[in-house]
Amino acid sequence: MAAHAAAALQELCHALQLLAAGAKVTALDVSAPRLDRLEENLTRCGMHAETVVADALDWAPEAPFDAILLDAPCSATGTIRRHPDLTFVKGASGIKELVALQAALLDRALGWLKPGGRLVYATCSLLPEEGEAQITAALTRHPGLKITPITAPGLDPDWLTDSGCLRLRPDFWSERGGLDGFFVAVLQQGG
C-alpha cells in the first residue's frame, strides 16, 4: 500500500517525484493558478494527485499523513548565484515575517503526521534562521520530535550538518558551475 504524503508545493517536480515513488499525493497550496498548472502537467504525464487550494494555517486533513514535504516559503537567498539582483529586489525587511511563517507552517504540518510519520522541511535559503535555527526551535517546541539524518549514495559528507541535515551552498561543485543553496531536514514524530 502506498504511503499517503502531503506536499506544500512550489514546483511540479516534488509531486512528480512523490507520485513516481508510489505515494498517494495531496498537493496543498494557497495559489489556485499554481495548482491549476500542476494539474495540467500531471494530466500531461498521466498522473493524478488530489489538489487543495487553501492556506495551510487554516486547512486540516481528513486523516493524518505518513509523510509530508513542506517546501516552505523563504527568502530564496540560495538562488543568488543565478539571480544576483535578488538582494536589490527583496532586501532583508521581510525575513522576520518569513521565519515566523515558516515556524507556524512547520508546527501546523507536524500536527498532521501519523505517529512515527516523517516531515521533510526544505527551503532554498542560505540563512541559518530559515534552516538550522528553525529546526532547533521546532525540536524545542515538540518533545519527541527528532532529526533523521539524511543518507544517500554519493552524498558528499561536507554537505551535511552535524545533526544530519543537508546544507547546500553556492560554492559547492564550483568546478561544475556551483549549486543553489538549500537546507533540508527530515523530522520524525515519536511513535
Side-chain angles (χ1 to χ4, degrees), residues 13 15 17-18 21 23 27 69-70 81 92 127 144 149 157 168 171 182:
C13 67
Q17 289 173 332
L18 290 168
L69 167 61
L70 176 57
R81 76 179 179 86
L127 304 176
L168 296 180
D171 61 314
F182 283 96

Side-chain angles (χ1 to χ4, degrees), residues 1-89:
M1 180 172 178
H4 191 188
L9 296 175
Q10 293 185 352
E11 296 180 22
L12 169 66
C13 67
H14 299 312
L16 291 175
Q17 289 173 332
L18 290 168
L19 289 164
K24 177 183 172 190
V25 173
T26 300
L28 171 68
D29 201 302
V30 71
S31 169
R34 200 166 21 232
L35 285 178
D36 288 344
R37 190 170 56 247
L38 171 66
E39 286 178 350
E40 290 169 11
N41 284 297
L42 289 173
T43 299
R44 183 176 46 79
C45 294
M47 296 179 165
H48 174 74
E50 178 186 354
T51 57
V52 179
V53 177
D55 185 331
L57 296 176
D58 299 323
W59 180 80
E62 292 178 12
F65 294 106
D66 298 304
I68 296 173
L69 167 61
L70 176 57
D71 185 354
C74 69
S75 63
T77 54
T79 66
I80 201 160
R81 76 179 179 86
R82 291 184 294 118
H83 303 285
D85 59 330
L86 183 69
T87 55
F88 299 105
V89 174

Side-chain angles (χ1 to χ4, degrees), residues 97-129:
E97 291 83 8
L98 275 172
V99 169
L101 176 60
Q102 291 161 358
L105 289 169
L106 191 50
D107 290 346
R108 185 83 171 151
L110 285 168
W112 301 340
L113 281 177
K114 289 181 179 177
R118 290 183 297 163
L119 182 142
V120 175
Y121 172 84
T123 64
C124 58
S125 173
L126 296 171
L127 304 176
E129 55 262 54

